[in-house]
Amino acid sequence: MFHVKHEFDVIVVGAGHAGLEAAAAAVRLGRRVALVTLSRDDLGALSCNPAIGGVGKGHLVREIDALDGLMGRLGDAAAIQYRLLNASKGPAVQGPRTQTDRALYRQAVSGAVSAMSGLTLVEGEVSELVLSGNGVQGVRLADGTVLKARGVVVATGTFLGGVIHIGNDQRPAGRWGGAAADRLRHQFAELGLPKGRLKTGTPPRLDGRTIDWAALPRQEGDAKPVYLSFLTEITANRQIACGVTQTTEHTHDIIRENLGRSALYSGNIEGAGPRYCPSIEDKIVKFPDKSSHQVFLEPEGLDDTTVYPNGVSTSLPDEVQLAYLRSMPGLSSVEMVRPGYAVEYSFVDPRSLRRTLEVAGFDGLFFAGQINGTTGYEEAAAQGLVAGLNAALRAQGRPLFEFGRDQAYIGVMIDDLVSRGATEPYRMFTSRAEYRLSLRADNADMRLTPLGLDLGCVTEARRLSFERKHDEMARGREALRTTRLPAAETENGETPTRPWTTAYEALGQGDGVARVAEHGARPEISQAAWEALCAEACYAPFAERQKKEAEKLAVGRQVSLPPAESLIEIPGLSIELRHKILAVRPATLVDAERIEGMTPAALALLLIQARQKSAA
Amino acid sequence: MDTIFAEATPPGKGGVSIVRLSGPQARAIAARLAGDLPASHQAGTRRLRDGDDAIDEALVLAFDAGRSFTGDETVEFHLHGAPVVVSRLSAALRKHGARQAAAGEFTQRAFLAGRLDLTQVQGLSDLLAAETEAQRRLAVQNASGLLGKRATEWREALSEAGALLLADIDFPDEDLENGLIDAALERIVAVRESIEATLAGSAAAEIVRKGFQVAIVGPPNAGKSTLLNRLAGRDVAIVSERPGTTRDVIEVRLDLNGAAVSLFDTAGLRDSDDVVEGEGIARARRTAEAADLRIHLSETGEAQAGLLCPGDLVVTSKADLHPGDGLRVSAQTGAGLDALVSEIGERLAQRIAGAGVVAHEMQRDRLARAARHLREAERSGAEFLAEALWQAIHELEALVGRVDIEDYLDLVFSRFCIGK
């Protein structure tokens, strides 16, 4: 089949969460897309924890959804438990999370894929990229077939040089049952893309029928679910509870006695693992004083007896895993469906990428997902969306798009990756966002759907729903701003500066929601629009300040700087600053401003250099 | 855009000090101090006042937006060249919303506004070098001084508070101990109080507020009180021929070349069995130790060994009776007094310039803003607290170094067992 050639606009390599979202985004932009996967069965696999969302991660899901991506809707279609994390805190740090049914998720993905017109699903292994000069032309499959496209998104997850470790056993693979993409890895090396090594792990899976549920406390979901997608209005499935157990002193003894047999502690693994997702071995070694660790028992589906024990990922041999599991309450006669393992894999240093996720120096070649050093479905999907959008824009000959740190968590994540790289698998935290009070899960649609409409990646149904909510909010805001309530007493008993406050201002104060309702000032708008207004009012004073800062940033971002090599020739810069400029390689004035030790005078010099270069 | 100001002449010395104020509020702020302002590009003499306090009688030049060095509204104040006057004006400008400019900021604005060509701004390189040197000096001072030690403590406490808040906000599903926010708040309040205490007692603030403190020390009957009276121009201390007359510390406030100086006359230092005089001597020692400068006065031209600090003045008294070299005064004839006064003024200028008043004022600004951010957030929720912490750390960056999420994460993961 060497002669066979197929023409596409965009090719996506890998159909995990990043690949799927990339393909879907390119399809929404009206592109002809090939989605290449090793096996059709990999579509929509939740290879680790069967949960989507959370604090930070839930923010990402909402942003993907606001741009009409898939993850929020797929998650809602498969949700069997909803919990709003940080419900007792302010809306800025609340994150929606679901427990999902693996089978239902797969089903939802497969439904979404078959509904995409313009998408061709290709089963096969990509053996190399087809490049010409500094541009990508397509990919060649192992059977010799060549697929041509102007945009290629590489989203191969942990398949790149993946090694599975269980005790002392090692075998090549990415996810369970997958084959390693070694040939691609060699090609990346030839292209001069720097890489690093990371690891991650997963716990054993349990047979739920062998768990004594009656002996264990339960964790129920929220009575009033908060959905992942802005479009979801009803709960799709029966909801379930999780069990809670914990490790015991006996568990810890078993693990301590067998530490030498853990791949992590035998020196077989060189990659750095995520500190926020330690193996049970790590927890016991690093926190010897803690006599017990909590373990959540999460059913993987309504009709699935498999249970995911959240909190005991491991790379100990099978029999040790079984022994320590059985030392926990409720698990005395548990059976394993399959053992836990550690995966070590290669990633491409994301500092070789631009904020569009395009490889610097290779037009049309994009990287997304775990291959960029991130962890998590949500992080992968968000990158997939960006890479897919930009690959489509590239194919259309349109200017590429990048998200700012002040616009979206997506922008924060990509900026962190391309400027700092990854020393451990990168996970989203709200604390990474300096505009946290403005970048909320509740306002992701107001922030990003208009952008998506401009880009053309938002479909009709969402546009209508967005515009309705937007108009309702505008109406409600106006009503609240023109309604006066008596001023609340100040906490220290001082006389307020004026005897009234607007209902909008009141809404942002402690008991504001109740006060507004008391005075009959709640506007006649939908519950969703009302809640969004409440959150907005809560952070209004901060939004103003952050907006100003963001405007300043926007100006600085317009100023692009010449290459670092010419910047450091500027007389007067300290040696330290020169080193930092070489390491950080600032592309714009804003990048330079963020360099530690940068002063206004030094910044002015950089600016002069920039003007000189652009004038020359 | 902020309205910024800076001293355009080298600080601490010179007959005239020029302070430049630029930005959208420049004219409005200047008018509050000077009353009306001269027309653009015209100079006029104005009495500068901050409320009821006189600042100086100064030459004021105003420049309209679009016709100034920076392109923004600009006002120049030509003051009498004394650090204290500059400090007073700085404080007033800050009070009305202006901010101390960072080094190079005026030139940067000028360049951005297209007011300078490239050859003109190459001078920035020199400025940058000077700035680096100033920062280095300041860093050395801070690292070895009290402020450096405090800054290290602040950094530690603020990082811990940030880590606690991060753990509380970003890991809600973990089995963590209770009271993380309270623990964070405790640290935040402690830092805020420490910053406020530092601000209240900072050396530069003391000098500006209380004046430069000069103590006259020496053996009994050396002529200390006579010298004080001579300098003050009135009889304030009891002067008699009997040794040990001054039993307490006597303070006189003087205006020395435009700078506020508090002069202390102290009891003669000698061993004494007299309880009252003994107490007077003890106080004299304490006062002398706390002063910014000591004048060691004796007929023999010797210093009080236990109290001698680098930079002190050693003066021979009763010069009419004891001819010789060195700093010599005669309170009786007035000989040498002018030389002594100018010597004190010189030392004063050195002290203030050496401590880097500008740098200090910039730090004071930042410290004050940091404390305000922390204070305002103390009663709100975790995410507001974290926001305030972020702002405060940003203000303190020059002092405590950069703290970011990686510092928080390091602390979180070393302290809490997190992860599933």
Side-chain angles (χ1 to χ4, degrees):
Chain A
M1 302 224 299
F2 286 99
H3 58 286
V4 181
K5 286 188 180 172
H6 300 278
E7 301 275 346
F8 295 95
D9 294 317
V10 173
I11 296 164
V12 179
V13 184
H17 300 279
L20 199 62
E21 211 64 72
V27 165
R28 289 201 299 285
L29 282 185
R31 299 302 93 202
R32 292 163 303 154
V33 179
L35 178 58
V36 188
T37 174
L38 287 172
S39 157
R40 211 170 265 273
D41 297 339
D42 281 348
L43 275 180
L46 297 168
S47 49
C48 197
N49 185 1
I52 291 175
V55 179
K57 287 167 176 284
H59 289 73
L60 285 173
V61 175
R62 281 284 176 85
E63 291 182 352
I64 294 167
D65 189 63
L67 294 160
D68 218 6
L70 300 176
M71 184 164 258
R73 281 173 288 167
L74 297 174
D76 281 334
I80 52 177
Q81 187 189 75
Y82 282 97
R83 282 202 308 125
L84 180 67
L85 302 188
N86 276 341
S88 63
K89 295 196 177 74
V93 293
Q94 292 175 355
R97 180 187 189 271
T98 64
Q99 188 84 27
T100 49
D101 178 305
R102 265 183 217 287
L104 290 175
Y105 196 83
R106 213 178 266 268
Q107 203 178 305
V109 167
S110 141
V113 167
S114 46
M116 286 180 212
S117 59
L119 182 88
T120 307
L121 193 63
V122 178
E123 262 188 319
E125 186 178 6
V126 170
S127 60
E128 62 181 334
L129 302 169
V130 181
L131 301 165
S132 86
N134 286 336
V136 71
Q137 290 199 317
V139 301
R140 189 187 309 278
L141 303 185
D143 67 3
T145 310
V146 171
L147 309 179
K148 298 197 73 177
R150 283 184 64 192
V152 172
V153 177
V154 177
T156 50
T158 61
F159 282 81
L160 205 62
V163 178
I164 284 183
H165 298 262
I166 306 178
N168 274 324
D169 296 336
Q170 298 169 25
R171 56 195 194 81
R175 285 199 309 262
W176 194 257
D182 274 333
R183 266 187 284 183
L184 259 188
R185 184 164 58 121
H186 289 307
Q187 195 181 23
F188 294 156
E190 283 163 21
L191 289 175
L193 296 177
K195 63 178 176 63
R197 207 78 176 132
L198 291 173
K199 68 138 174 122
T200 186
T202 191
R205 303 302 198 274
L206 314 181
D207 182 342
R209 292 166 300 187
T210 60
I211 295 173
D212 182 6
W213 294 99
L216 297 172
R218 295 298 193 93
Q219 186 185 51
E220 302 285 346
D222 294 342
K224 185 177 163 288
V226 173
Y227 301 121
L228 296 179
S229 172
F230 288 106
L231 297 183
T232 303
E233 284 169 353
I234 53 161
T235 307
N237 309 299
R238 175 165 66 83
Q239 302 290 292
I240 54 109
C242 296
V244 186
T245 182
Q246 72 271 336
T247 60
T248 62
E249 290 286 5
H250 187 204
T251 318
H252 296 195
D253 288 342
I254 296 170
I255 291 167
R256 264 193 289 265
E257 279 160 26
N258 290 285
L259 263 188
R261 301 172 69 195
S262 160
L264 295 167
Y265 282 88
S266 59
N268 286 344
I269 294 184
E270 46 161 322
R275 287 174 297 176
Y276 34 82
C277 197
S279 64
I280 187 69
E281 294 97 296
D282 272 342
K283 289 185 188 180
I284 282 154
V285 170
K286 290 186 184 148
F287 296 92
D289 296 342
K290 210 163 164 168
S291 58
S292 176
H293 298 272
Q294 213 171 36
V295 179
F296 288 88
L297 299 173
E298 302 173 347
E300 297 208 340
L302 295 173
D303 302 319
D304 189 343
T305 54
T306 312
V307 168
Y308 182 98
N310 201 342
V312 287
S313 90
T314 183
S315 64
L316 285 161
D318 299 17
E319 67 274 16
V320 182
Q321 295 188 26
L322 189 62
Y324 83 64
L325 284 170
R326 288 184 172 173
S327 68
M328 293 186 239
L331 302 184
S332 56
S333 49
V334 79
E335 294 292 344
M336 286 197 305
V337 178
R338 69 174 214 221
Y341 58 88
V343 188
E344 203 184 7
Y345 59 97
S346 295
F347 72 104
V348 170
D349 185 340
R351 284 174 294 189
S352 357
L353 306 177
R354 301 189 198 281
R355 284 183 179 78
T356 54
L357 293 183
E358 193 172 36
V359 177
F362 291 94
D363 281 0
L365 180 59
F366 297 84
F367 280 63
Q370 248 175 322
I371 192 169
N372 290 341
T374 62
T375 173
Y377 311 142
E378 303 83 353
E379 286 83 352
Q383 291 171 70
L385 176 70
V386 173
L389 276 179
N390 279 318
L393 292 172
R394 178 62 85 197
Q396 287 175 291
R398 290 167 63 192
L400 304 194
F401 184 80
E402 51 189 67
F403 291 89
R405 294 184 76 91
D406 53 321
Q407 280 179 313
Y409 274 86
I410 299 176
V412 173
M413 171 175 67
I414 292 177
D415 184 60
D416 281 346
L417 289 172
V418 304
S419 57
R420 295 182 167 204
T423 51
E424 68 182 323
Y426 181 97
R427 171 180 156 182
M428 197 70 241
F429 298 116
T430 66
S431 301
R432 295 193 193 275
E434 43 285 81
Y435 301 106
R436 172 160 61 187
L437 302 184
S438 305
L439 304 183
R440 305 187 302 273
D442 71 77
N443 70 358
D445 52 349
M446 296 299 135
R447 289 187 278 125
L448 299 178
T449 305
L451 268 175
L453 284 164
D454 285 349
L455 288 167
C457 69
V458 171
T459 50
E460 192 61 8
R462 184 176 301 269
R463 182 179 69 80
L464 292 173
S465 146
F466 167 77
E467 284 171 356
R468 196 164 50 238
K469 182 175 167 192
H470 183 268
D471 294 347
E472 279 186 310
M473 283 179 69
R475 198 150 43 81
R477 197 180 293 118
E478 183 57 26
L480 289 163
R481 280 190 172 146
T482 50
T483 305
R484 289 184 181 187
L485 305 183
E489 278 172 34
T490 55
E491 281 181 55
N492 42 20
E494 285 167 19
T495 332
T497 43
R498 52 178 153 89
W500 50 269
T501 110
T502 70
Y504 187 76
E505 286 165 346
L507 208 52
Q509 295 156 2
D511 56 348
V513 179
R515 277 206 321 129
V516 170
E518 229 170 76
H519 288 84
R522 183 199 187 288
E524 292 289 319
I525 53 174
S526 69
Q527 185 64 16
W530 168 243
E531 282 171 12
L533 275 182
C534 291
E536 179 189 292
C538 181
Y539 299 106
F542 290 87
E544 195 50 40
R545 205 200 65 224
Q546 298 201 333
K547 202 174 131 211
K548 271 192 202 152
E549 276 177 34
E551 277 164 8
K552 216 176 96 191
L553 277 180
V555 172
R557 218 180 282 125
Q558 306 276 319
V559 180
S560 34
L561 296 176
E565 285 74 16
S566 76
L567 286 179
I568 58 162
E569 289 166 12
I570 298 171
L573 290 180
S574 69
I575 293 174
E576 196 190 349
L577 214 47
R578 275 170 216 224
H579 281 306
K580 281 180 181 157
I581 287 169
L582 276 181
V584 174
R585 313 196 65 82
T588 69
L589 201 62
V590 169
D591 301 333
E593 202 167 5
R594 287 225 301 274
I595 294 176
E596 197 184 330
M598 184 58 72
T599 65
L603 214 52
L605 285 173
L606 296 188
L607 193 61
I608 292 157
Q609 188 78 358
R611 298 259 164 110
Q612 263 176 329
K613 291 280 163 180
S614 64
Chain B
M1 188 167 55
D2 293 343
T3 298
I4 55 174
F5 68 90
E7 192 175 354
T9 39
K13 283 174 193 163
V16 175
S17 294
I18 300 175
V19 171
R20 201 178 268 158
L21 173 72
S22 177
Q25 295 297 314
R27 289 193 71 107
I29 292 171
R32 259 172 249 154
L33 305 179
D36 67 315
L37 293 177
S40 189
H41 292 71
Q42 305 280 317
T45 319
R46 294 289 184 279
R47 200 177 290 273
L48 303 181
R49 313 186 64 84
D50 179 21
D52 293 336
D53 299 330
I55 297 171
D56 195 14
E57 179 144 335
L59 193 68
V60 176
L61 285 95
F63 304 90
D64 286 347
R67 300 183 62 200
S68 74
F69 171 63
T70 57
D72 304 318
E73 281 181 15
T74 299
V75 178
E76 275 182 17
F77 302 96
H78 295 232
L79 307 163
H80 289 99
V84 181
V85 176
V86 174
S87 290
R88 261 190 235 138
L89 177 64
S90 302
L93 290 174
R94 250 197 304 276
K95 205 169 95 188
H96 290 292
R99 146 174 95 67
Q100 179 92 39
E105 208 171 352
F106 275 95
T107 317
Q108 190 190 358
R109 285 192 180 183
F111 182 74
L112 286 171
R115 308 294 297 184
L116 295 179
D117 67 28
L118 289 170
T119 49
Q120 282 175 298
V121 281
Q122 293 302 346
L124 265 180
S125 303
D126 305 334
L127 173 68
L128 191 63
E131 178 193 13
T132 312
E133 173 57 19
Q135 280 174 346
R136 190 193 60 73
R137 268 209 319 267
L138 198 66
V140 171
Q141 259 170 28
N142 284 342
S144 53
L146 183 63
L147 191 57
K149 191 166 153 272
R150 287 209 183 136
T152 311
E153 288 165 8
W154 295 340
R155 183 195 163 90
E156 217 163 276
L158 292 176
S159 305
E160 277 178 22
L164 291 164
L165 291 172
L166 183 147
D168 188 72
I169 290 172
D170 276 308
F171 297 103
D173 232 12
E174 299 286 343
D175 186 20
L176 303 177
E177 61 206 62
N178 294 324
L180 295 179
I181 295 183
D182 288 342
L185 192 57
E186 203 177 291
R187 286 163 174 78
I188 286 172
V189 171
V191 170
R192 196 256 300 153
E193 284 173 351
S194 169
I195 290 175
E196 285 172 348
T198 304
L199 274 174
S202 83
E206 292 283 311
I207 290 181
V208 172
R209 202 178 70 232
K210 294 208 309 204
F212 191 62
Q213 306 207 344
V214 179
I216 307 175
V217 298
N221 209 16
K224 300 184 294 297
S225 301
T226 316
L227 176 63
L228 178 87
N229 290 344
R230 190 81 201 191
L231 290 170
R234 56 195 163 108
D235 279 334
V236 278
I238 312 149
V239 187
S240 84
E241 293 288 322
R242 232 181 77 218
T245 315
T246 306
R247 290 188 169 176
D248 211 283
V249 176
I250 291 166
E251 179 184 352
V252 176
R253 286 173 176 253
L254 302 175
D255 184 314
L256 230 60
N257 294 343
V261 170
S262 287
L263 201 59
F264 295 92
D265 178 22
T266 60
L269 299 171
R270 63 166 182 177
D271 294 329
S272 172
D273 295 333
D274 182 328
V275 178
V276 180
E277 193 192 349
E279 175 56 26
I281 290 171
R283 283 194 201 179
R285 284 194 175 278
R286 284 199 296 272
T287 304
E289 280 165 8
D292 300 304
L293 175 73
R294 281 146 295 277
I295 298 173
H296 296 261
L297 190 73
S298 67
E299 293 183 49
T300 53
E302 286 166 24
Q304 293 289 323
L307 289 171
L308 186 67
C309 297
D312 281 359
L313 293 171
V314 181
V315 179
T316 308
S317 63
K318 305 182 186 173
D320 46 325
L321 305 178
H322 310 280
D325 302 327
L327 261 180
R328 306 158 47 70
V329 294
S330 166
Q332 289 303 321
T333 66
L337 280 176
D338 286 350
L340 178 61
V341 165
S342 101
E343 224 11 80
I344 294 172
E346 187 67 25
R347 299 282 150 116
L348 189 158
Q350 278 172 12
R351 294 291 163 88
I352 295 180
V357 172
V358 172
H360 273 277
E361 287 191 353
M362 201 138 64
Q363 281 176 357
R364 285 177 57 76
D365 258 9
R366 290 187 166 272
L367 287 176
R369 281 205 295 266
R372 198 178 63 230
H373 283 304
L374 296 177
R375 196 176 333 107
E376 280 170 3
E378 277 167 19
R379 271 180 296 179
S380 27
E383 76 272 31
F384 292 105
L385 213 47
E387 176 75 14
L389 197 63
W390 194 292
Q391 299 293 335
I393 286 176
H394 184 67
E395 295 293 352
L396 297 176
E397 209 166 74
L399 269 180
V400 304
R402 188 164 287 198
V403 177
D404 75 3
I405 176 152
E406 292 305 324
D407 298 290
Y408 292 172
L409 287 175
D410 286 344
L411 283 168
V412 167
F413 295 125
S414 63
R415 172 157 179 186
F416 302 111
C417 180
I418 273 176
K420 289 175 175 163

